[in-house]
Amino acid sequence: MSKEIYFEEVKRKKSLYLADHCISDPKFLSEKELKKFKKKVINNYHWHNDRKMKVDHKYLRRFLKKKSKDIFNDLNRYHNLNKTDKFWNTIIYPWLTIITYILFDRWEIINSLKTKKKFVFNTFQFDEKLLIPETMREIKYVDDKFNLMLYTKIVDFIGLKCRKNKFILKKKSKENYPKFTFLKLKILKFISYFFNNKIVFNNCGLTFYNRIKLDLFFKQFPFPWINPPYKKNEIDIEKRKKFFKKKGKKKNFEFFFDEYIYLLVPKSYLEDFNEINYAIENSYWPKACKNIFTCYEYKQNDIFKIWVSKMRCNGSKYYIIQHGGNYGSPEYSIEEDMQKIVSDRFLTWGWGSTKDKKVKKFNAFPLNFARVKKWSKKNDKILVCIHYHSKFSHRVTSLPKNNFDRLNKLYQIKKFTENLSNKNIVIRYPKQTSKQWNINIKENYFSDYIKFDHGDKNYRDIISNYRLTVHDNDSTTFLISMLFNLPTILILDKKIEKFRPEAKLFYNQLKKKNIIFYDPISAAKFINKIGSSVEKWWFSYNLQKTRNIFCSKFVKKSFFPIKDLKKLI
């Protein structure tokens, strides 16, 4: 009798699962429970093999280069246009990168399973239109239903044995555009007749006050950025098939991609594309500008990306500013690759690249507007910053890759806190983003004496209240601690969090100064050893020298960030 494989959790105790995102978190977190958790999955995760990940990364970069050309041509034919690759690249490439990595990962999870023809896969019947997203923002790889539909399509394409189950998915109700927003758009349209901003700043990671300050420095009106509403058309499946569906004879990933990509192109690039263009033309947004700056909107904001493409056709320069940590240092970063490809200039927080002329050394722009209270040695609390990682694998990365990696990260922090002598510990995580990631961090995993900070206040406002801050990820919070010279420790997993050759020297120096640890118990023992002498350790001459060198490379200080920006223009 063939064994059944599930894509979602079922009540049967000895069920086999294709991937660990199908399984609920264990009630308790221990080494024994993690081993049990891992055994429920039928196969080892394919990108835990370093050699395979390296080969796949090279293959997917070539694949993206080839497929982007094909899709740009298809889009021109679909819309009866003759736009350049540069035009479509700004709009399409972030979506194409994300969806390609997701599809390939799901493909490999199934295809790398040995003797897969001996199993029965529990798949689903569904209306194909449910797969089609309104915009790129709706491509939610952390959504269970989205993944069930993808797995079903792969199983059907390969031709594996399957049992079709009923699929229930509620249709989303249409969002009503707030009446007050319509009023604001009319007022801004009126004001735009008197002001013509030549430099555009959209979501550069600044507070409302600093955003106004930035525009006023360049003698511009500080327009807020509000996306104009647009008419949403019905999905035209047949037209999608005509221009994007290509059938092949082979049962490999490329032919699967070609056959089903028509179901994954957002409506904003097809049915609603002309409506968005019309909305932009009738909005208060500039009709021409010299320079465009953003930290965040390069990826999911389709309306903004379409507007940027139009501006770039008229000679505008597109600058993307690094928006956080884990850039310039990890062995793999598709997010970094994406930003370099779609921009005219990628402004880093201090690091450079001899291989890519688009990369420009800059400073930690959004952080250099911030102010942090001075650290006091009187504080005796320890803050531990936990970062969200997806339970759904979806990319080649030097961060936790799948659900097991995420849980193992939590287990490392649990071991760390249990080995600390100081029990005055606060664990911080942004609880409000749990819905976005489709996961909850179980506070009962940790000891009763630990308190929790759910991220209601900005990290920069509370960081000085602690004797020491510990981070579980080479992230923005770690770089903030380094920039503002606040005692900090970083706990990493050597098997996962690997650095590119040009960054290793800097991170190895941090390890020598006991800032970085690859073992949570060693980190706890070191903190126990220095006790209340954190000041003596952190402000020692040699450590400060190392910190200054590191910061100049990865989180550069600037006392005049706006003037530095002006020099670029």
Side-chain angles (χ1 to χ4, degrees), residues 164-175:
K164 293 285 183 183
N165 299 294
K166 288 183 180 180
F167 189 84
I168 301 170
L169 182 64
K170 292 180 182 179
K171 288 186 177 181
K172 291 184 180 179
S173 56
K174 291 183 179 179
E175 294 180 6

Side-chain angles (χ1 to χ4, degrees), residues 27-239:
K27 290 182 179 179
F28 306 101
L29 200 56
S30 65
E31 198 166 333
K32 184 179 178 182
E33 287 297 323
L34 284 175
K35 284 180 180 178
K36 283 183 184 178
F37 181 87
K38 204 170 185 179
K39 282 182 180 179
K40 291 179 181 179
V41 180
I42 196 166
N43 216 15
N44 291 327
Y45 181 56
H46 65 105
W47 278 335
H48 278 163
N49 182 321
D50 286 345
R51 186 177 177 278
K52 183 181 185 304
M53 186 162 65
K54 187 176 182 179
V55 170
D56 288 348
H57 184 242
K58 288 181 179 179
Y59 164 73
L60 288 169
R61 291 180 82 168
R62 293 193 303 269
F63 183 89
L64 280 166
K65 192 173 182 179
K66 176 186 175 183
K67 290 302 170 186
S68 60
K69 292 273 188 183
D70 294 342
I71 291 175
F72 296 164
N73 290 331
D74 293 339
L75 284 163
N76 273 327
R77 290 190 305 112
Y78 182 96
H79 293 294
N80 195 23
L81 296 171
N82 189 27
K83 296 294 185 181
T84 63
D85 288 355
K86 184 179 179 180
F87 175 89
W88 290 118
N89 203 49
T90 309
I91 304 167
I92 300 297
Y93 197 81
W95 158 78
L96 185 59
T97 300
I98 298 303
I99 204 66
T100 298
Y101 275 90
I102 292 170
L103 289 176
F104 185 79
D105 178 63
R106 303 299 181 268
W107 173 271
E108 286 296 290
I109 286 172
I110 293 176
N111 207 46
S112 60
L113 181 63
K114 293 178 180 178
T115 63
K116 52 183 171 286
K117 291 185 178 179
K118 293 183 179 180
F119 296 98
V120 174
F121 296 83
N122 283 274
T123 58
F124 296 84
Q125 293 176 335
F126 60 91
D127 181 353
E128 286 189 333
K129 288 184 180 180
L130 293 174
L131 257 178
I132 298 172
E134 287 283 339
T135 65
M136 183 181 168
R137 204 179 295 276
E138 283 199 8
I139 297 175
K140 293 178 177 156
Y141 59 85
V142 297
D143 181 74
D144 295 299
K145 301 292 186 185
F146 176 74
N147 282 282
L148 292 176
M149 289 188 281
L150 289 185
Y151 282 130
T152 296
K153 285 295 181 187
I154 295 169
V155 168
D156 289 347
F157 179 82
I158 297 173
L160 301 173
K161 292 178 187 175
C162 63
R163 180 178 287 107
K164 293 285 183 183
N165 299 294
K166 288 183 180 180
F167 189 84
I168 301 170
L169 182 64
K170 292 180 182 179
K171 288 186 177 181
K172 291 184 180 179
S173 56
K174 291 183 179 179
E175 294 180 6
N176 293 320
Y177 212 73
K179 291 181 180 179
F180 182 64
T181 304
F182 275 111
L183 179 61
K184 282 196 288 186
L185 288 170
K186 286 184 178 181
I187 294 170
L188 290 168
K189 179 75 181 285
F190 177 76
I191 296 171
S192 69
Y193 292 125
F194 305 97
F195 298 94
N196 186 18
N197 290 8
K198 295 299 179 184
I199 306 168
V200 170
F201 303 102
N202 186 5
N203 200 354
C204 291
L206 305 180
T207 62
F208 177 73
Y209 167 75
N210 286 322
R211 169 73 174 76
I212 292 174
K213 184 179 174 183
L214 181 62
D215 267 316
L216 293 179
F217 178 87
F218 289 100
K219 298 177 181 179
Q220 300 185 146
F221 185 82
F223 283 101
W225 274 85
I226 304 172
N227 283 350
Y230 63 91
K231 180 187 172 185
K232 295 182 180 180
N233 295 318
E234 292 296 318
I235 294 168
D236 190 337
I237 285 281
E238 293 308 313
K239 189 174 181 182

